[in-house]
């Protein structure tokens, strides 16, 4: 079977931004509040960091459960991994996620500033500098027949869309405007020349956009 490149549970504002301006160690999403974009997933029964019983079921829970299904590797941009810019001053920084990152697969971090691979839990981070098609080939090999998740941020998703490499996208549009930041799109209609699209509103307030290649 064909290995798909999938964008999953990617949150954007109603004006198309996946993150705000001014990313820092304290504010990974810049001026944006990540809960404004992703609270729909955190409220579900299947949210992996849930410490109390309960949580919602239904559509939002389905997407949260599906996040890891048949995923064998992830590709992400440097700014999803780190707030640092330019060459690495040291290698102490190992991501936002602590000793047990939520990926549980090889992760390929796109960056012009390479550093040695390292492993935390069952996630290994590799730092690669290449064209989207080249990096995708590495990720597919590491995925061992499973699909590859394109984890973001928005700039990286656009790079792979522009290279016509993305097979499916799930984008959750939150009812909040950011005004500035890293934009995924001006309108989802920009993708309709290459993708079919279903638009499904959720009781949580987000609207799920499901795209698959024509």
């Amino acid at each position: 079977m064909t290995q798909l490149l999938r964008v999953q549970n990617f949150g954007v504002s109603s004006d198309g931004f996946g993150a705000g301006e001014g990313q820092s160690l304290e504010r990974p999403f810049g001026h944006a509040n990540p809960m404004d974009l992703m609270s729909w997933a955190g409220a579900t029964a299947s949210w992996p960091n849930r410490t109390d019983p309960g949580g919602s079921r239904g559509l939002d829970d389905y997407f949260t459960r599906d996040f890891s299904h048949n995923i064998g590797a992830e590709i992400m941009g440097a700014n999803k991994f780190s707030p640092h810019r330019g060459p690495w001053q040291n290698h102490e920084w190992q991501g936002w996620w602590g000793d047990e990152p939520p990926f549980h697969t090889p992760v390929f971090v796109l960056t012009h500033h390479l550093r040695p691979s390292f492993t935390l839990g069952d996630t290994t981070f590799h730092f690669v500098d290449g064209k989207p098609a080249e990096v995708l080939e590495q990720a597919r090999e590491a995925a061992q027949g499973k699909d590859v998740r394109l984890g973001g941020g928005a700039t990286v998703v656009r790079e792979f869309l522009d290279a016509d490499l993305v097979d499916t996208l799930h984008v959750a549009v939150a009812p909040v405007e950011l005004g500035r930041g890293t934009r995924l799109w001006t309108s989802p209609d920009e993708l309709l020349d290459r993708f079919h699209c279903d638009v499904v509103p959720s009781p949580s307030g987000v609207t799920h956009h499901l795209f698959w290649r024509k």
Side-chain angles (χ1 to χ4, degrees):
M1 294 180 63
T2 301
Q3 291 176 277
L4 300 178
L5 180 62
R6 298 158 55 187
V7 176
Q8 297 178 282
N9 299 3
F10 192 83
V12 303
S13 62
S14 60
D15 50 352
F17 294 97
E21 283 186 347
Q23 184 191 47
S24 67
L25 181 63
E26 295 75 20
R27 297 191 66 89
F29 282 71
H31 80 280
N33 181 353
M35 290 305 296
D36 288 342
L37 300 179
M38 295 303 299
S39 61
W40 66 270
T44 64
S46 298
W47 180 247
N49 296 327
R50 175 168 295 283
T51 57
D52 56 325
S56 66
R57 293 291 184 181
L59 183 65
D60 293 346
D61 189 63
Y62 170 82
F63 288 121
T64 304
R65 291 199 317 271
D66 193 53
F67 183 70
S68 298
H69 178 68
N70 199 45
I71 295 295
E74 168 149 341
I75 299 168
M76 69 171 62
N79 294 342
K80 179 176 178 179
F81 176 79
S82 167
H84 302 98
R85 303 293 190 269
W88 296 98
Q89 301 302 312
N90 60 61
H91 294 164
E92 293 181 3
W93 176 263
Q94 294 187 317
W96 309 100
W97 305 281
D99 294 334
E100 292 291 338
F103 308 105
H104 312 294
T105 66
V107 174
F108 293 83
V109 181
L110 275 168
T111 175
H112 297 306
H113 305 288
L114 304 182
R115 56 180 279 186
S117 301
F118 66 88
T119 299
L120 292 171
D122 55 1
T123 298
T124 298
F125 291 92
H126 304 284
F127 299 84
V128 294
D129 185 7
K131 296 179 180 179
E134 298 169 345
V135 175
L136 178 57
E137 188 59 35
Q138 294 179 62
R140 281 178 169 156
E141 183 176 353
Q144 298 182 346
K146 294 184 177 181
D147 294 339
V148 175
R149 181 192 301 118
L150 183 59
T155 300
V156 168
V157 174
R158 288 301 320 192
E159 287 178 1
F160 280 76
L161 282 169
D162 292 345
D164 200 26
L165 296 172
V166 177
D167 296 298
T168 67
L169 300 88
H170 164 227
V171 180
V173 179
V176 59
E177 291 190 4
L178 293 181
R180 64 192 191 280
T182 307
R183 188 187 288 277
L184 178 66
W185 58 41
T186 301
S187 165
D189 292 349
E190 297 167 10
L191 304 183
L192 296 183
D193 60 332
R194 288 175 288 159
F195 292 92
H196 303 283
C197 180
D198 282 345
V199 179
V200 187
S202 166
S204 64
V206 301
T207 302
H208 297 286
H209 289 65
L210 307 172
F211 299 86
W212 66 100
R213 186 187 290 273
K214 289 183 177 179

